[in-house]
Structures are given as C-alpha cells and as structure tokens.
Amino acid sequence: QVQLVESGGGLVQPGGSLRLSCAHSGSIFSIYVMGWYRQAPGKQRELVAAITSGGNTNYADSVKGRFTISRDNAKNTVYLQMNSLKPEDTAVYYCNVVSPVSVRTAWGQGTQVTVSS
C-alpha cells in the first residue's frame, strides 16, 4: 500500500534551492513525527529533518540553517525546503514516519536530488 509519495526533486546548481513535498494518505499521519531521510550512493540512509505533530523541528548538523521541514495538515503534506544546496546534498530523499516506529510505512521510491554545476 502506497501511503507516502515524495516529489519535487531535480537537478540544481550549488547554492540553489529546491522544495520537496511528501503527500500522505489521510490525516492520521498528522499525529506522527514525520521526517525526511536521504541516502547517497554508497552510504546508509540518514535522517536529515524531523517534525512533530506540534510543529517542533530537529535537523541533522549537516543541514542546519539550510533546510526547513514543515507540514500542512490540511493538505496532508510534509515539505522540505532546501536552500544553499551543496554537492554533498546529492541523494535520494525519502519521507516516512519517524515515531512511532511501529507505524512506519514501507520505503517508497523517494525523489532524486542532484546538486551539480
């Protein structure tokens, strides 16, 4: 069952910006801590940003000050605004439930972000 669909990735130049969207199927996800993960070639998937049901956020050190996670419960969507992109941000980005782990869905296709000149 597909419950989360990522979109918005693409090719951008260093210093550029991109906004990713994660559409979730139903308001039930609004009560969960949601997160954006990424996986670069040859590396493990890592959590880069998380947002609670109340809108509190946390970020990996590598993206602090550059990325902003937000959510619009009315639209059943979680966003990741990425600014000042660097080549090392290149990865496939996924969204999923961070907590509780028991309701985490299967990983989807993700959306490719490539930062290159």
Side-chain angles (χ1 to χ4, degrees):
Q1 182 180 351
V2 178
Q3 296 179 292
L4 299 168
V5 180
E6 304 95 340
S7 63
L11 173 64
V12 297
Q13 295 184 340
S17 298
L18 208 58
R19 187 177 74 165
L20 307 184
S21 297
C22 173
H24 52 84
S25 58
S27 60
I28 185 64
F29 284 89
S30 298
I31 71 173
Y32 304 140
V33 179
M34 299 296 296
W36 281 96
Y37 301 76
R38 69 185 181 188
Q39 186 167 29
K43 297 183 179 180
Q44 293 186 6
R45 182 181 288 112
E46 64 172 339
L47 178 66
V48 298
I51 185 167
T52 70
S53 61
N56 293 322
T57 59
N58 279 291
Y59 302 92
D61 288 341
S62 59
V63 307
K64 284 182 179 178
R66 300 188 299 118
F67 290 10
T68 302
I69 187 171
S70 61
R71 66 198 306 170
D72 186 335
N73 291 335
K75 296 182 178 179
N76 294 333
T77 304
V78 181
Y79 303 97
L80 185 67
Q81 177 66 48
M82 304 184 293
N83 298 324
S84 302
L85 283 162
K86 305 175 180 179
E88 50 263 47
D89 294 319
T90 296
V92 178
Y93 285 72
Y94 305 86
C95 66
N96 214 327
V97 177
V98 176
S99 179
V101 175
S102 61
V103 299
R104 185 175 296 163
T105 69
W107 297 100
Q109 269 56 59
T111 185
Q112 175 72 50
V113 172
T114 302
V115 185
S116 176
S117 298

